[in-house]
Amino acid sequence: MGVLFVLFCIYAATLLLPVVWLTINSFKAGNNEFFYYQWQFKGFSTKNYQALFSGQNDIFTMLANTLILALTIPTCSVFFGMCVGHAVGSFNFKLKGIVYFIFIMPMFVAVAGGTPYLYKLMNDIGLFDTHFGLIIQSCGGYGFGFLMFYSVFKNISHTYSEAAMIDGAGYWRTFLQILAPQAKDLLVAQWVMGFIGTWNDYAGPRLFLPSYTTLGVGVQEISEGVKNANYTYPELFATIMVMLVPIMILYFAFQKKIMTVSLGGGIKG
């Protein structure tokens, strides 16, 4: 046990050291201080953060665009995944196996394989370069989210639904007030992971939302600016820290639920 504890401490240190290094160097005054004093507090300055929040890098616009997507995309994804998972997992009907296969099939298809067709579709229906066009792509209810909710609702006794309907509840009320709360741990975990994934996403906004800069796209543009000497490395690190801190706080706040669902497979009971 002692050896395992030491090994896990070493592993934890390898994960924390890059964050500590990034934090220290985000407060450096410029490239010279970064190159010569990477692990020291010489050249300590808050000017990178001051410049960031003074509007120089348009950080508030990036934050607004990122928040719009990070709040709506996981909400739509979780809601529709939960609806489809409930429908397939809780009811028996003809061709159920085929429907199940259709909703997990996207998991076996490479994302890049369907991107050209999706790009053309967004252009053809007039949703290209709109927030709604990117958000609606998350409303399919298929893939891993569907699979997790399907496993939960499949294992919930029908007694709950029958008792609610005897008391006069309809399908939606039974679903939202009786069944959905029993999957709340999975719901929270899926939403948090979806938020983190959308917050960090670069490819989606870059491809389908070129006129609206998000934090992921902004970090990439600033990193290109570093190569062209338009920005310094500490300025880039400060932007990364602004992007990193909120999702670290969110993950630490819900880590128990996420780990419980991950280890338990999302199955209740």
Side-chain angles (χ1 to χ4, degrees):
M1 291 298 292
V3 175
L4 284 176
F5 176 76
V6 172
L7 289 175
F8 278 117
C9 285
I10 294 173
Y11 176 67
T14 63
L15 299 178
L16 289 174
L17 279 175
V19 179
V20 174
W21 179 87
L22 185 69
T23 304
I24 293 173
N25 288 291
S26 69
F27 286 98
K28 293 298 172 63
N31 281 336
N32 289 334
E33 289 78 7
F34 163 66
F35 289 135
Y36 293 107
Y37 310 109
Q38 292 192 16
W39 287 102
Q40 302 177 38
F41 282 97
K42 289 186 178 181
F44 182 88
S45 174
T46 59
K47 72 173 189 176
N48 300 319
Y49 290 95
Q50 291 174 357
L52 201 60
F53 288 101
S54 66
Q56 180 177 326
N57 294 333
D58 209 14
I59 189 68
F60 293 108
T61 300
M62 289 190 282
L63 279 169
N65 289 325
T66 305
L67 275 174
I68 290 172
L69 298 176
L71 291 173
T72 54
I73 287 178
T75 301
C76 292
S77 178
V78 167
F79 177 74
F80 287 101
M82 186 168 60
C83 288
V84 178
H86 165 58
V88 180
S90 299
F91 299 101
N92 292 316
F93 52 90
K94 292 182 179 180
L95 306 178
K96 178 177 177 177
I98 295 176
V99 173
Y100 174 83
F101 177 75
I102 289 173
F103 276 94
I104 66 170
M105 188 169 59
M107 297 175 63
F108 306 107
V109 180
V111 175
T115 301
Y117 303 99
L118 187 58
Y119 186 88
K120 185 177 185 303
L121 176 64
M122 290 294 105
N123 273 286
D124 291 344
I125 62 179
L127 293 179
F128 177 73
D129 204 17
T130 65
H131 289 88
F132 183 71
L134 194 56
I135 293 167
I136 201 173
Q137 295 178 31
S138 65
C139 297
Y142 49 78
F144 183 72
F146 157 75
L147 194 61
M148 295 292 282
F149 282 111
Y150 169 83
S151 68
V152 171
F153 289 117
K154 183 181 179 182
N155 289 278
I156 294 178
S157 173
H158 290 281
T159 305
Y160 295 104
S161 301
E162 293 169 358
M165 290 186 175
I166 289 173
D167 289 337
Y171 283 111
W172 277 106
R173 185 177 178 185
T174 301
F175 171 57
L176 294 176
Q177 294 187 0
I178 306 299
L179 299 178
Q182 297 188 62
K184 63 180 180 180
D185 286 345
L186 175 60
L187 190 154
V188 171
Q190 288 282 325
W191 191 91
V192 171
M193 296 306 294
F195 181 96
I196 293 173
T198 306
W199 183 275
N200 292 328
D201 187 25
Y202 164 77
R206 187 65 168 180
L207 187 61
F208 295 102
L209 207 64
S211 299
Y212 301 88
T213 305
T214 61
L215 283 171
V217 175
V219 166
Q220 191 275 336
E221 291 178 349
I222 293 174
S223 66
E224 291 293 328
V226 170
K227 297 177 184 179
N228 301 326
N230 295 325
Y231 296 97
T232 64
Y233 280 104
E235 288 176 325
L236 172 62
F237 298 151
T239 309
I240 294 175
M241 285 301 299
V242 170
M243 184 177 181
L244 185 62
V245 169
I247 59 173
M248 288 181 65
I249 294 172
L250 189 66
Y251 181 81
F252 286 132
F254 293 98
Q255 61 177 321
K256 289 185 178 180
K257 286 188 180 294
I258 293 172
M259 292 306 297
T260 299
V261 171
S262 299
L263 294 174
I267 299 177
K268 184 178 178 64

mmCIF file with all atom_site columns, all heavy atoms in Angstrom, residues 251-263:
data_model
loop_
_atom_site.group_PDB
_atom_site.id
_atom_site.type_symbol
_atom_site.label_atom_id
_atom_site.label_alt_id
_atom_site.label_comp_id
_atom_site.label_asym_id
_atom_site.label_entity_id
_atom_site.label_seq_id
_atom_site.pdbx_PDB_ins_code
_atom_site.Cartn_x
_atom_site.Cartn_y
_atom_site.Cartn_z
_atom_site.occupancy
_atom_site.B_iso_or_equiv
_atom_site.pdbx_formal_charge
_atom_site.auth_seq_id
_atom_site.auth_comp_id
_atom_site.auth_asym_id
_atom_site.auth_atom_id
_atom_site.pdbx_PDB_model_num
ATOM 1   N N   . TYR A 1 251 ? -15.360 20.979 -12.194 1.00 0.00 ? 251 TYR A N   1
ATOM 2   C CA  . TYR A 1 251 ? -15.041 19.554 -12.076 1.00 0.00 ? 251 TYR A CA  1
ATOM 3   C C   . TYR A 1 251 ? -14.838 19.163 -10.616 1.00 0.00 ? 251 TYR A C   1
ATOM 4   O O   . TYR A 1 251 ? -15.346 18.132 -10.165 1.00 0.00 ? 251 TYR A O   1
ATOM 5   C CB  . TYR A 1 251 ? -13.790 19.225 -12.881 1.00 0.00 ? 251 TYR A CB  1
ATOM 6   C CG  . TYR A 1 251 ? -13.428 17.756 -12.803 1.00 0.00 ? 251 TYR A CG  1
ATOM 7   C CD1 . TYR A 1 251 ? -14.072 16.830 -13.616 1.00 0.00 ? 251 TYR A CD1 1
ATOM 8   C CD2 . TYR A 1 251 ? -12.470 17.298 -11.908 1.00 0.00 ? 251 TYR A CD2 1
ATOM 9   C CE1 . TYR A 1 251 ? -13.773 15.484 -13.543 1.00 0.00 ? 251 TYR A CE1 1
ATOM 10  C CE2 . TYR A 1 251 ? -12.163 15.953 -11.826 1.00 0.00 ? 251 TYR A CE2 1
ATOM 11  C CZ  . TYR A 1 251 ? -12.808 15.049 -12.648 1.00 0.00 ? 251 TYR A CZ  1
ATOM 12  O OH  . TYR A 1 251 ? -12.505 13.718 -12.555 1.00 0.00 ? 251 TYR A OH  1
ATOM 13  N N   . PHE A 1 252 ? -14.082 19.966 -9.862  1.00 0.00 ? 252 PHE A N   1
ATOM 14  C CA  . PHE A 1 252 ? -13.843 19.638 -8.462  1.00 0.00 ? 252 PHE A CA  1
ATOM 15  C C   . PHE A 1 252 ? -15.147 19.645 -7.656  1.00 0.00 ? 252 PHE A C   1
ATOM 16  O O   . PHE A 1 252 ? -15.320 18.869 -6.713  1.00 0.00 ? 252 PHE A O   1
ATOM 17  C CB  . PHE A 1 252 ? -12.832 20.598 -7.846  1.00 0.00 ? 252 PHE A CB  1
ATOM 18  C CG  . PHE A 1 252 ? -11.424 20.340 -8.294  1.00 0.00 ? 252 PHE A CG  1
ATOM 19  C CD1 . PHE A 1 252 ? -10.618 21.383 -8.724  1.00 0.00 ? 252 PHE A CD1 1
ATOM 20  C CD2 . PHE A 1 252 ? -10.902 19.062 -8.310  1.00 0.00 ? 252 PHE A CD2 1
ATOM 21  C CE1 . PHE A 1 252 ? -9.315  21.155 -9.143  1.00 0.00 ? 252 PHE A CE1 1
ATOM 22  C CE2 . PHE A 1 252 ? -9.602  18.815 -8.723  1.00 0.00 ? 252 PHE A CE2 1
ATOM 23  C CZ  . PHE A 1 252 ? -8.808  19.860 -9.148  1.00 0.00 ? 252 PHE A CZ  1
ATOM 24  N N   . ALA A 1 253 ? -16.076 20.523 -8.043  1.00 0.00 ? 253 ALA A N   1
ATOM 25  C CA  . ALA A 1 253 ? -17.344 20.609 -7.325  1.00 0.00 ? 253 ALA A CA  1
ATOM 26  C C   . ALA A 1 253 ? -18.206 19.367 -7.544  1.00 0.00 ? 253 ALA A C   1
ATOM 27  O O   . ALA A 1 253 ? -18.972 18.972 -6.656  1.00 0.00 ? 253 ALA A O   1
ATOM 28  C CB  . ALA A 1 253 ? -18.107 21.859 -7.754  1.00 0.00 ? 253 ALA A CB  1
ATOM 29  N N   . PHE A 1 254 ? -18.080 18.754 -8.721  1.00 0.00 ? 254 PHE A N   1
ATOM 30  C CA  . PHE A 1 254 ? -18.944 17.613 -9.048  1.00 0.00 ? 254 PHE A CA  1
ATOM 31  C C   . PHE A 1 254 ? -18.159 16.331 -9.294  1.00 0.00 ? 254 PHE A C   1
ATOM 32  O O   . PHE A 1 254 ? -18.686 15.391 -9.889  1.00 0.00 ? 254 PHE A O   1
ATOM 33  C CB  . PHE A 1 254 ? -19.778 17.935 -10.299 1.00 0.00 ? 254 PHE A CB  1
ATOM 34  C CG  . PHE A 1 254 ? -20.783 19.023 -10.102 1.00 0.00 ? 254 PHE A CG  1
ATOM 35  C CD1 . PHE A 1 254 ? -20.500 20.324 -10.500 1.00 0.00 ? 254 PHE A CD1 1
ATOM 36  C CD2 . PHE A 1 254 ? -22.003 18.763 -9.503  1.00 0.00 ? 254 PHE A CD2 1
ATOM 37  C CE1 . PHE A 1 254 ? -21.423 21.350 -10.314 1.00 0.00 ? 254 PHE A CE1 1
ATOM 38  C CE2 . PHE A 1 254 ? -22.939 19.771 -9.323  1.00 0.00 ? 254 PHE A CE2 1
ATOM 39  C CZ  . PHE A 1 254 ? -22.642 21.075 -9.718  1.00 0.00 ? 254 PHE A CZ  1
ATOM 40  N N   . GLN A 1 255 ? -16.917 16.284 -8.832  1.00 0.00 ? 255 GLN A N   1
ATOM 41  C CA  . GLN A 1 255 ? -16.083 15.125 -9.140  1.00 0.00 ? 255 GLN A CA  1
ATOM 42  C C   . GLN A 1 255 ? -16.641 13.821 -8.569  1.00 0.00 ? 255 GLN A C   1
ATOM 43  O O   . GLN A 1 255 ? -16.509 12.753 -9.177  1.00 0.00 ? 255 GLN A O   1
ATOM 44  C CB  . GLN A 1 255 ? -14.658 15.352 -8.638  1.00 0.00 ? 255 GLN A CB  1
ATOM 45  C CG  . GLN A 1 255 ? -14.538 15.550 -7.134  1.00 0.00 ? 255 GLN A CG  1
ATOM 46  C CD  . GLN A 1 255 ? -13.085 15.690 -6.696  1.00 0.00 ? 255 GLN A CD  1
ATOM 47  O OE1 . GLN A 1 255 ? -12.214 15.009 -7.200  1.00 0.00 ? 255 GLN A OE1 1
ATOM 48  N NE2 . GLN A 1 255 ? -12.829 16.600 -5.771  1.00 0.00 ? 255 GLN A NE2 1
ATOM 49  N N   . LYS A 1 256 ? -17.278 13.883 -7.385  1.00 0.00 ? 256 LYS A N   1
ATOM 50  C CA  . LYS A 1 256 ? -17.810 12.657 -6.787  1.00 0.00 ? 256 LYS A CA  1
ATOM 51  C C   . LYS A 1 256 ? -18.924 12.063 -7.640  1.00 0.00 ? 256 LYS A C   1
ATOM 52  O O   . LYS A 1 256 ? -18.986 10.848 -7.846  1.00 0.00 ? 256 LYS A O   1
ATOM 53  C CB  . LYS A 1 256 ? -18.310 12.942 -5.370  1.00 0.00 ? 256 LYS A CB  1
ATOM 54  C CG  . LYS A 1 256 ? -17.196 13.209 -4.364  1.00 0.00 ? 256 LYS A CG  1
ATOM 55  C CD  . LYS A 1 256 ? -17.742 13.363 -2.962  1.00 0.00 ? 256 LYS A CD  1
ATOM 56  C CE  . LYS A 1 256 ? -16.611 13.582 -1.959  1.00 0.00 ? 256 LYS A CE  1
ATOM 57  N NZ  . LYS A 1 256 ? -17.119 13.748 -0.567  1.00 0.00 ? 256 LYS A NZ  1
ATOM 58  N N   . LYS A 1 257 ? -19.815 12.921 -8.132  1.00 0.00 ? 257 LYS A N   1
ATOM 59  C CA  . LYS A 1 257 ? -20.897 12.431 -8.988  1.00 0.00 ? 257 LYS A CA  1
ATOM 60  C C   . LYS A 1 257 ? -20.339 11.862 -10.285 1.00 0.00 ? 257 LYS A C   1
ATOM 61  O O   . LYS A 1 257 ? -20.792 10.825 -10.778 1.00 0.00 ? 257 LYS A O   1
ATOM 62  C CB  . LYS A 1 257 ? -21.887 13.556 -9.290  1.00 0.00 ? 257 LYS A CB  1
ATOM 63  C CG  . LYS A 1 257 ? -22.788 13.929 -8.117  1.00 0.00 ? 257 LYS A CG  1
ATOM 64  C CD  . LYS A 1 257 ? -23.847 14.902 -8.535  1.00 0.00 ? 257 LYS A CD  1
ATOM 65  C CE  . LYS A 1 257 ? -24.750 15.279 -7.358  1.00 0.00 ? 257 LYS A CE  1
ATOM 66  N NZ  . LYS A 1 257 ? -25.551 14.138 -6.879  1.00 0.00 ? 257 LYS A NZ  1
ATOM 67  N N   . ILE A 1 258 ? -19.343 12.563 -10.855 1.00 0.00 ? 258 ILE A N   1
ATOM 68  C CA  . ILE A 1 258 ? -18.761 12.110 -12.117 1.00 0.00 ? 258 ILE A CA  1
ATOM 69  C C   . ILE A 1 258 ? -18.086 10.756 -11.938 1.00 0.00 ? 258 ILE A C   1
ATOM 70  O O   . ILE A 1 258 ? -18.261 9.841  -12.745 1.00 0.00 ? 258 ILE A O   1
ATOM 71  C CB  . ILE A 1 258 ? -17.759 13.157 -12.655 1.00 0.00 ? 258 ILE A CB  1
ATOM 72  C CG1 . ILE A 1 258 ? -18.508 14.436 -13.045 1.00 0.00 ? 258 ILE A CG1 1
ATOM 73  C CG2 . ILE A 1 258 ? -16.997 12.604 -13.848 1.00 0.00 ? 258 ILE A CG2 1
ATOM 74  C CD1 . ILE A 1 258 ? -17.592 15.593 -13.393 1.00 0.00 ? 258 ILE A CD1 1
ATOM 75  N N   . MET A 1 259 ? -17.314 10.605 -10.865 1.00 0.00 ? 259 MET A N   1
ATOM 76  C CA  . MET A 1 259 ? -16.600 9.350  -10.614 1.00 0.00 ? 259 MET A CA  1
ATOM 77  C C   . MET A 1 259 ? -17.584 8.226  -10.279 1.00 0.00 ? 259 MET A C   1
ATOM 78  O O   . MET A 1 259 ? -17.391 7.082  -10.697 1.00 0.00 ? 259 MET A O   1
ATOM 79  C CB  . MET A 1 259 ? -15.601 9.526  -9.479  1.00 0.00 ? 259 MET A CB  1
ATOM 80  C CG  . MET A 1 259 ? -14.434 10.435 -9.829  1.00 0.00 ? 259 MET A CG  1
ATOM 81  S SD  . MET A 1 259 ? -13.564 9.935  -11.321 1.00 0.00 ? 259 MET A SD  1
ATOM 82  C CE  . MET A 1 259 ? -12.949 8.317  -10.847 1.00 0.00 ? 259 MET A CE  1
ATOM 83  N N   . THR A 1 260 ? -18.635 8.538  -9.541  1.00 0.00 ? 260 THR A N   1
ATOM 84  C CA  . THR A 1 260 ? -19.628 7.531  -9.181  1.00 0.00 ? 260 THR A CA  1
ATOM 85  C C   . THR A 1 260 ? -20.312 6.975  -10.438 1.00 0.00 ? 260 THR A C   1
ATOM 86  O O   . THR A 1 260 ? -20.458 5.765  -10.609 1.00 0.00 ? 260 THR A O   1
ATOM 87  C CB  . THR A 1 260 ? -20.708 8.113  -8.245  1.00 0.00 ? 260 THR A CB  1
ATOM 88  O OG1 . THR A 1 260 ? -20.081 8.558  -7.040  1.00 0.00 ? 260 THR A OG1 1
ATOM 89  C CG2 . THR A 1 260 ? -21.760 7.064  -7.918  1.00 0.00 ? 260 THR A CG2 1
ATOM 90  N N   . VAL A 1 261 ? -20.700 7.882  -11.335 1.00 0.00 ? 261 VAL A N   1
ATOM 91  C CA  . VAL A 1 261 ? -21.347 7.464  -12.580 1.00 0.00 ? 261 VAL A CA  1
ATOM 92  C C   . VAL A 1 261 ? -20.372 6.720  -13.478 1.00 0.00 ? 261 VAL A C   1
ATOM 93  O O   . VAL A 1 261 ? -20.707 5.713  -14.102 1.00 0.00 ? 261 VAL A O   1
ATOM 94  C CB  . VAL A 1 261 ? -21.942 8.688  -13.312 1.00 0.00 ? 261 VAL A CB  1
ATOM 95  C CG1 . VAL A 1 261 ? -22.410 8.294  -14.700 1.00 0.00 ? 261 VAL A CG1 1
ATOM 96  C CG2 . VAL A 1 261 ? -23.097 9.265  -12.505 1.00 0.00 ? 261 VAL A CG2 1
ATOM 97  N N   . SER A 1 262 ? -19.113 7.201  -13.535 1.00 0.00 ? 262 SER A N   1
ATOM 98  C CA  . SER A 1 262 ? -18.113 6.569  -14.401 1.00 0.00 ? 262 SER A CA  1
ATOM 99  C C   . SER A 1 262 ? -17.805 5.151  -13.936 1.00 0.00 ? 262 SER A C   1
ATOM 100 O O   . SER A 1 262 ? -17.691 4.221  -14.732 1.00 0.00 ? 262 SER A O   1
ATOM 101 C CB  . SER A 1 262 ? -16.824 7.395  -14.417 1.00 0.00 ? 262 SER A CB  1
ATOM 102 O OG  . SER A 1 262 ? -17.062 8.691  -14.924 1.00 0.00 ? 262 SER A OG  1
ATOM 103 N N   . LEU A 1 263 ? -17.670 4.964  -12.626 1.00 0.00 ? 263 LEU A N   1
ATOM 104 C CA  . LEU A 1 263 ? -17.324 3.643  -12.091 1.00 0.00 ? 263 LEU A CA  1
ATOM 105 C C   . LEU A 1 263 ? -18.535 2.716  -12.075 1.00 0.00 ? 263 LEU A C   1
ATOM 106 O O   . LEU A 1 263 ? -18.404 1.507  -12.235 1.00 0.00 ? 263 LEU A O   1
ATOM 107 C CB  . LEU A 1 263 ? -16.759 3.778  -10.674 1.00 0.00 ? 263 LEU A CB  1
ATOM 108 C CG  . LEU A 1 263 ? -15.409 4.516  -10.563 1.00 0.00 ? 263 LEU A CG  1
ATOM 109 C CD1 . LEU A 1 263 ? -15.030 4.702  -9.101  1.00 0.00 ? 263 LEU A CD1 1
ATOM 110 C CD2 . LEU A 1 263 ? -14.319 3.763  -11.302 1.00 0.00 ? 263 LEU A CD2 1
#
